[in-house]
Amino acid sequence: MGETAAANNHHHHHHHGHQVFDVSVPQQPAFKCFDDDGRLKRTGTVWTASAHIITAVIGSGVLSLAWAIAQLGWIAGPVVMLLFSFVTLYTSTLLSDCYRTGDAVSGKRNYTYMDAVRSILGGFKFKICGLIQYLNLFGIAIGYTIAASISMMAIKRSNCFHKSGGKDPCHMSSNPYMIIFGVTEILLSQVPDFDQIWWISIVAAVMSFTYSAIGLALGIVQVAANGVFKGSLTGISIETVTQTQKIWRTFQALGDIAFAYSYSVVLIEIQDTVRSPPAESTTMKKATKISIAVTTIFYMLCGSMGYAAFGDAAPGNLLTGFGFYNPFWLLDIANAAIVVHLIGAYQVFSQPIFAFVEKSVSERFPDNDLLTKELQIKIPGFRSPYKTNVFRVVFRCCFVVLTTVISMLMPFFNDVVGILGALGFWPLTVYFPVEMYIKQRKVEKWSTRWVCLQMLSVACLVISVVAGVGSIAGVMLDLKVYKPFQSTY
């Protein structure tokens, strides 16, 4: 930025004699504070981009990692995690070349992942991508409802344990907590532009670091107290689970780990905050290297410390599985942080669905008053009236009710996370980035690079399929044990 300003000043003094140039003085700042697409100048650097990625990634995925490693064991667990991180690193690099269509320096910018798919791959693939993405967001809303209500319940249980000195097992149902969470989300979903509130993401980042760090710290303390690293080289033993269950759980563990790395969707949006020169893709490649290194180390620590602390009995959700009883106030802080994070994150992930449905409906039925007429409601104490319409209120309520009901039908955190990881991993993290890259860089069909990319894609497809099947099998097995709507912990 400094250089261009200096150049302009120099330019300006040079021609001071000519009246013509004085006319262009007011436009000088305009040149300085806007980018080539007329938006405000982007100021992001490698460090801000890395921070954004890290905060976008580290979240509720951490909670199921110890369980995933327990299914795979000390050898396969870390190896699988490294593999996922390399695949994600590689496809993120491919994706960073898709921020601009055509030329890396001056091509047309794509502001979101979906824009990139639309402008590079065209309409049909764009529709499929949209379908997968909205399904994924819908699933995340369910997963977050489960996780948040289990955390609320864990606070209640840990206090009940503490009161009875561990004598009372404190069995409870998670349903009331799901309903509380649902009601909260119904209210929040009516707040206009909730996802635009700037401090939401800061709060979310602080919260997710809080509970991840507490989970890690408790694992380390537990290992120190045991004086030994628990766990085995091959994971949970066949005595504990049957041979077939072992296979399903191994597959499901892949889905859980994939979920922890599922953030390729936000990469282009983060790249859109980065300043140029240098070309945005260069900055972004550095940022993905840094952030994937940091998150992988962090995940490795969380997952392996959790496994080392509990061995094969590692709970599906590290902070609510009651491996840790004390210090109970620390667990309560961690679970409260999870609840706060997920209340906000639920909205952030469901806003795109709301926007999409409401836009399609208003385009489809422009004349229907129920759907498009804006009502203004005066709220005492607020200056501007609250704008809404009937369809928005009804649709958002129904959406939240639907996610809550599904969560109550299958309140199994890891299974749902495994399904989501499987659903998002191949299409969004591998297939579309690879296809866009091939199209962008005009990779020759049947050339070595093309064949390698396709092999990577097929391998990841297989991983996604087995992870999905394993997780669905997990849901089926759990439903045999739990009766829907009556599950207690």
Side-chain angles (χ1 to χ4, degrees):
M1 230 149 70
E3 285 170 44
T4 42
N8 288 339
N9 275 337
H10 167 77
H11 185 76
H12 176 62
H13 291 302
H14 205 261
H15 300 278
H16 209 58
H18 304 290
Q19 205 49 49
V20 189
F21 274 87
D22 279 353
V23 179
S24 71
V25 173
Q27 271 95 48
Q28 293 268 322
F31 173 75
K32 275 185 269 183
C33 49
F34 291 98
D35 274 328
D36 55 13
D37 57 344
R39 299 205 177 181
L40 275 177
K41 195 128 189 88
R42 295 160 175 81
T43 55
T45 60
V46 174
W47 298 110
T48 59
S50 305
H52 278 310
I53 298 173
I54 292 169
T55 49
V57 180
I58 291 184
S60 51
V62 176
L63 301 172
S64 62
L65 286 177
W67 183 88
I69 290 191
Q71 308 317 307
L72 298 165
W74 276 122
I75 301 174
V79 168
V80 167
M81 265 178 147
L82 279 176
L83 278 177
F84 272 105
S85 63
F86 279 120
V87 171
T88 311
L89 177 61
Y90 183 63
T91 56
S92 307
T93 312
L94 300 184
L95 200 55
S96 64
D97 284 331
C98 302
Y99 171 60
R100 288 177 180 270
T101 307
D103 184 72
V105 180
S106 58
K108 187 186 156 299
R109 295 170 187 261
N110 297 308
Y111 301 109
T112 63
Y113 187 90
M114 301 284 277
D115 284 347
V117 174
R118 185 195 280 139
S119 75
I120 297 171
L121 297 176
F124 177 64
K125 285 193 175 155
F126 166 72
K127 286 197 171 109
I128 293 179
C129 178
L131 180 70
I132 292 169
Q133 188 138 329
Y134 292 127
L135 256 178
N136 211 17
L137 293 173
F138 178 66
I140 287 174
I142 294 167
Y144 282 4
T145 305
I146 297 172
S149 56
I150 293 178
S151 282
M152 290 186 222
M153 193 173 71
I155 295 176
K156 192 93 168 124
R157 276 187 74 184
S158 98
N159 295 346
C160 153
F161 263 178
H162 190 70
K163 275 202 192 73
S164 73
K167 289 181 190 65
D168 178 0
C170 302
H171 288 302
M172 322 184 163
S173 163
S174 56
N175 292 338
Y177 301 96
M178 294 203 179
I179 292 166
I180 293 170
F181 184 81
V183 170
T184 312
E185 294 304 345
I186 287 178
L187 295 174
L188 288 180
S189 69
Q190 304 302 330
V191 176
D193 294 329
F194 187 83
D195 51 333
Q196 255 90 54
I197 304 173
W198 61 271
W199 47 265
I200 292 278
S201 55
I202 298 175
V203 170
V206 170
M207 291 302 157
S208 51
F209 272 107
T210 304
Y211 66 74
S212 311
I214 291 178
L216 177 57
L218 286 173
I220 293 172
V221 170
Q222 186 78 39
V223 171
N226 296 344
V228 59
F229 271 66
K230 289 188 176 176
S232 62
L233 294 181
T234 53
I236 197 159
S237 62
I238 307 289
E239 288 90 70
T240 328
V241 291
T242 62
Q243 181 71 55
T244 42
Q245 262 182 315
K246 167 86 176 165
I247 296 171
W248 290 137
R249 284 170 151 226
T250 304
F251 289 164
Q252 192 182 325
L254 295 176
D256 285 2
I257 294 173
F259 178 75
Y261 282 105
S262 61
Y263 55 94
S264 50
V265 182
V266 292
L267 286 175
I268 289 192
E269 269 126 298
I270 292 171
Q271 191 161 344
D272 193 42
T273 63
V274 171
R275 66 166 177 231
S276 58
E280 295 90 351
S281 55
T282 327
T283 310
M284 204 56 188
K285 281 170 191 163
K286 280 195 198 117
T288 37
K289 283 195 188 84
I290 295 167
S291 51
I292 291 182
V294 172
T295 46
T296 302
I297 291 169
F298 190 70
Y299 280 173
M300 285 282 198
L301 281 170
C302 284
S304 37
M305 281 303 157
Y307 184 34
F310 299 125
D312 292 345
N317 178 334
L318 191 61
L319 291 170
T320 58
F322 283 91
F324 307 118
Y325 295 109
N326 281 320
F328 79 108
W329 52 271
L330 191 59
L331 268 180
D332 291 354
I333 291 174
N335 281 309
I338 292 178
V339 174
V340 172
H341 173 206
L342 297 186
I343 285 176
Y346 182 99
Q347 289 302 324
V348 172
F349 284 110
S350 32
Q351 290 292 340
I353 300 183
F354 298 160
F356 171 72
V357 172
E358 283 152 24
K359 189 162 159 260
S360 332
V361 164
S362 62
E363 281 168 4
R364 180 84 44 95
F365 309 104
D367 315 325
N368 188 325
D369 270 0
L370 264 186
L371 300 178
T372 51
K373 190 176 182 196
E374 290 278 328
L375 307 168
Q376 299 203 341
I377 305 167
K378 283 262 190 295
I379 303 175
F382 284 92
R383 206 171 298 154
S384 51
Y386 172 66
K387 290 193 183 63
T388 185
N389 71 32
V390 178
F391 177 72
R392 184 185 308 156
V393 174
V394 174
F395 169 67
R396 292 185 179 196
C397 278
C398 291
F399 176 86
V400 177
V401 168
L402 183 61
T403 57
T404 310
V405 169
I406 294 176
S407 307
M408 284 154 91
L409 280 169
M410 37 184 246
F412 319 118
F413 179 65
N414 333 26
D415 302 348
V416 172
V417 161
I419 292 174
L420 293 175
L423 175 73
F425 176 64
W426 177 69
L428 302 174
T429 305
V430 185
Y431 176 75
F432 287 113
V434 163
E435 289 296 296
M436 289 196 284
Y437 181 79
I438 288 176
K439 193 86 182 275
Q440 271 279 64
R441 286 272 178 272
K442 304 188 171 55
V443 179
E444 289 284 311
K445 227 179 186 169
W446 303 113
S447 62
T448 320
R449 172 163 255 189
W450 187 87
V451 172
C452 291
L453 286 168
Q454 296 300 354
M455 275 161 52
L456 173 75
S457 186
V458 170
C460 293
L461 171 60
V462 172
I463 292 175
S464 256
V465 169
V466 295
V469 171
S471 304
I472 291 170
V475 172
M476 297 305 174
L477 286 171
D478 283 342
L479 283 175
K480 278 184 187 151
V481 183
Y482 290 102
K483 297 282 170 287
F485 293 118
Q486 290 134 25
S487 70
T488 54
Y489 283 83

